[in-house]
Amino acid sequence: MTQTDATEKPQTTGTATADWTARHRAAMMRSAPTPLAVLESGHGAEVWDVEGKRYLDFLAGIAVNSLGHAHPVVVGAVSRQAASLSHISNYFASMPQIELAERLKRLSGAGDEGRVYFGNSGAEAIEAAIKLARLNGGRRRIVALEGAFHGRTMGSLSLTGKAALREPFEPLLPGVDHIPTTIEALEAAIGPDVAALVVEPIKGEAGVVPVPDGFLERARELTTEHGALLIVDEIQTGAGRTGRWFGYEHYGIVPDAIAVAKGIGGGIPIGALVTFGEASDLFEFGHHGSTFGGNPLATATANAVLEELERADLVTNARVRGEQLREVILGLRSPLVAEVRGLGLLLGVGLTAPAAQRVATEALRLGLIINAANDTSIRLAPPLVIGDAEIAEFTDLFAQALEAAS
Ligand SMILES: *Cc1c(COP(=O)(O)O)cnc(C)c1O
């Protein structure tokens, strides 16, 4: 270490984690939370930190690493594409971009009339959805749900239904109403002035809370009746995570648009808005764009990820393993576990006491990564590639963590 390095680095306490955490605290914007660990490498559903400690990863970068870490398909796609063409700007098209748009149209059910806009994140997919809503006949009202999470950029934050996240940044986008997630509230809110209703089929950040029975069906009826768009935020629920390609498919409805990101890239940043039917005609030339959006590197990788999900039938695996996980968690008969919510491999364990943080901390200590989405909810979102071995290890560690926390 040179002397300059030594003086620039803050005082540290010796272990690799403490050193890196101190540097993180000094260098990163204060908006970042204190890291739970400093991770160095991964393989499948395992990651290792800078001290060589191994963890079983049942969060997968918050539902992003659908194929797990360092999957050969992702490594191969990134390497091949980076060795050829990474970025070209929107003045040009590339084969992977066109192929991914076609693939998303097919997998989402948007079909021949569907169209795709590419951005680089979930929030950008939602920003595109907001613009789509604004183009719907000059209407200015957008309805979203209380407790919803749609992102943290100023537009997407306007739709996010969490006061604590919004208040420091107000005034946000005008014309956004947050309603309770009930059919009565829907019936009161959706009228001829509504441009769009934006919903997550399962509220992920809120602790994996599915919408109530009949809610999306009624939402579809009311939006159709009043000429409002039904935009489904599939950023967390998409790419096979819930045991169907997209979460909306569990409800037998057809949306006007879906926002996707997270799992479709398998760890490479990408987001997209997919429109269905007539909503595909709202954007005109010049209405939107992004420098990085739809670049060959991200789209080639997402193509490879989605192809592998199809080839290995990992959407079915998500459904089967999700059922298996639900059974083993309930089978633990822990007095701390009240219920298991969610679908496929997006599961929320509802607790009988506000102990989620304690359970997650104990789990981490034991080498299991899970997420305390709020005081009473543990969120599980493992890679879609998990099998019996990962479930057996999870069950053992989760049982110990519940025990230690109660
Ligand atoms: C993560 C998430 C977002 C925001 O995505 P970013 O890539 O973090 O911008 C939006 N909606 C839902 C449902 C999400 O889970």
Side-chain angles (χ1 to χ4, degrees):
M1 190 189 288
T2 69
Q3 212 161 5
T4 323
D5 281 345
T7 51
E8 277 172 359
K9 278 175 196 165
Q11 202 63 41
T12 59
T13 56
T15 70
T17 300
D19 283 1
W20 283 109
T21 302
R23 288 170 65 176
H24 177 277
R25 193 183 309 124
M28 298 289 289
M29 200 60 76
R30 288 191 205 273
S31 52
T34 303
L36 297 170
V38 182
L39 300 178
E40 188 171 13
S41 61
H43 182 261
E46 301 170 290
V47 290
W48 286 266
D49 72 14
V50 287
E51 291 178 39
K53 178 173 172 174
R54 172 189 172 277
Y55 303 83
L56 178 67
D57 183 3
F58 263 46
L59 189 57
I62 317 185
V64 167
N65 304 301
S66 23
L67 298 179
H69 300 277
H71 192 288
V73 161
V74 176
V75 176
V78 171
S79 314
R80 270 193 309 277
Q81 194 61 45
S84 153
L85 199 64
S86 292
H87 179 80
I88 52 173
S89 92
N90 296 322
Y91 289 117
F92 300 93
S94 70
M95 293 182 288
Q97 171 192 76
I98 297 163
E99 283 164 3
L100 182 62
E102 289 170 351
R103 191 184 298 273
L104 284 172
K105 283 173 57 168
R106 174 170 62 82
L107 295 177
S108 69
D112 287 346
E113 292 180 333
R115 291 188 179 276
V116 179
Y117 168 82
F118 287 118
N120 310 285
S121 65
E124 284 171 77
I126 294 292
E127 294 294 333
I130 294 170
K131 279 191 161 181
L132 186 80
R134 285 278 167 104
L135 293 171
N136 182 19
R139 300 174 183 207
R140 288 293 173 262
R141 245 182 101 216
I142 298 179
V143 177
L145 303 179
E146 289 173 1
F149 185 83
H150 297 294
R152 286 168 170 274
T153 57
M154 292 297 277
S156 63
L157 183 60
S158 305
L159 302 192
T160 290
K162 234 178 151 182
L165 300 185
R166 301 159 49 88
E167 272 160 13
F169 305 103
E170 286 171 349
L172 295 168
L173 207 63
V176 179
D177 292 327
H178 289 95
I179 63 166
T181 311
T182 64
I183 290 175
E184 301 78 78
L186 263 185
E187 288 174 343
I190 308 298
D193 59 335
V194 173
L197 169 69
V198 182
V199 294
E200 296 161 88
I202 301 174
K203 286 183 203 160
E205 298 302 301
V208 189
V209 184
V211 292
D213 285 345
F215 184 87
L216 273 180
E217 294 86 332
R218 190 72 185 116
R220 179 67 284 181
E221 283 170 8
L222 288 163
T223 47
T224 301
E225 184 185 329
H226 293 289
L229 300 172
L230 175 59
I231 301 174
V232 181
D233 182 342
E234 295 276 4
I235 291 165
Q236 198 158 148
T237 47
R241 177 148 296 276
T242 68
R244 296 281 188 98
W245 275 105
F246 296 95
Y248 83 80
E249 295 171 54
H250 293 279
Y251 303 90
I253 57 133
V254 179
D256 296 300
I258 60 173
V260 297
K262 292 202 164 104
I264 65 166
I268 294 301
I270 184 166
L273 181 74
V274 184
T275 54
F276 294 51
E278 288 171 19
S280 302
D281 297 329
L282 292 174
F283 272 109
E284 299 280 1
F285 173 72
H287 271 145
H288 204 24
S290 157
T291 295
F292 288 125
N295 69 76
L297 186 64
T299 51
T301 310
N303 268 319
V305 169
L306 295 174
E307 191 178 306
E308 177 64 11
L309 290 174
E310 268 191 294
R311 190 202 60 78
D313 199 8
L314 293 173
V315 184
T316 301
N317 195 57
R319 180 169 55 72
V320 172
R321 299 303 177 180
E323 280 310 312
Q324 206 178 337
L325 268 176
R326 182 190 307 272
E327 272 164 39
V328 299
I329 294 165
L330 293 172
L332 294 174
R333 305 203 181 287
S334 164
L336 255 186
V337 173
E339 60 174 353
V340 180
R341 301 180 297 262
L343 289 165
L345 288 175
L346 182 60
L347 294 175
V349 182
L351 304 182
T352 52
Q357 205 59 62
R358 247 177 18 247
V359 173
T361 302
E362 289 298 336
L364 193 74
R365 200 175 50 76
L366 293 161
L368 169 66
I369 297 176
I370 54 178
N371 170 244
N374 57 42
D375 287 350
T376 55
S377 305
I378 294 287
R379 174 172 43 180
L380 306 176
L384 308 191
V385 296
I386 60 164
D388 288 334
E390 287 83 2
I391 290 185
E393 186 183 359
F394 164 83
T395 308
D396 176 40
L397 296 176
F398 191 55
Q400 289 183 55
L402 287 169
E403 184 70 35
S406 47

